[in-house]
Amino acid sequence: MDTMSRVFAALADPTRLDMVTRLAGGDATVNQLAEPYRMSLQAIYKHLRVLEDAGLVTRPAGPQPRAVHLETEAFDRMQAWIEIYRRRAEERYARLDDVLKRMRNEESMEEER
C-alpha cells in the first residue's frame, strides 16, 4: 500500500481521526489519548500503530509515559497530493466552460440567421 493510501485508510477510522484531531492541540500520552474511549489500552496501541505506520504520529523511544506527537509533515504531503487533483479538476472545468461558451455562441449565431 502506498503512503497516501495508508494515510487515508488510517484517517478513515473515527477513533483514529479523533485521536489526530486531539493531537492537533498538542502532544499527549497514550493514557491521555485513551481516556475518552471505551476500549482496552491494547486496542489504543493498535490504533496508534496504524497512525505511526501511516506517518501521522510518532512516539519517541524511552521509558513510559512517552508523548505521542502529531507529524505535520504528513499533512503537508496530503495537502500537496490533494492540490494536484484539485488543479486537474479545475482545468477540466475550465475546458468544459470553454466548450459550453462556444456552444452558446454557435447557438446565438444560428438564431440570428
Side-chain angles (χ1 to χ4, degrees):
M1 189 184 296
D2 71 354
T3 303
M4 281 298 110
S5 296
R6 281 195 303 274
V7 168
F8 286 116
L11 294 175
D13 180 86
T15 300
R16 291 191 291 266
L17 181 60
D18 185 60
M19 287 178 171
V20 167
T21 301
R22 291 175 51 221
L23 287 168
D27 293 357
T29 65
V30 173
N31 285 332
Q32 290 169 329
L33 282 175
E35 284 174 8
Y37 309 113
R38 289 187 138 148
M39 64 180 71
S40 68
L41 214 49
Q42 182 180 3
I44 295 295
Y45 276 107
K46 284 183 181 182
H47 282 295
L48 286 174
R49 199 168 310 118
V50 172
L51 292 171
E52 284 178 302
D53 290 346
L56 293 166
V57 301
T58 55
R59 289 183 294 156
Q64 299 290 345
R66 297 180 291 171
V68 179
H69 176 75
L70 186 64
E71 292 297 329
T72 56
E73 297 85 22
F75 295 96
D76 294 339
R77 288 190 303 273
M78 283 177 58
Q79 183 176 354
W81 184 88
I82 290 168
E83 182 63 22
I84 290 168
Y85 292 97
R86 185 192 62 77
R87 267 189 258 123
R88 287 182 186 176
E90 284 180 355
E91 290 168 3
R92 283 195 312 269
Y93 287 128
R95 287 193 304 269
L96 178 60
D97 286 343
D98 290 343
V99 168
L100 293 173
K101 186 189 247 181
R102 281 195 306 264
M103 290 173 63
R104 281 192 292 267
N105 288 341
E106 289 172 7
E107 287 176 0
S108 294
M109 289 174 65
E110 286 179 13
E111 289 175 1
E112 290 175 5
R113 291 183 197 164

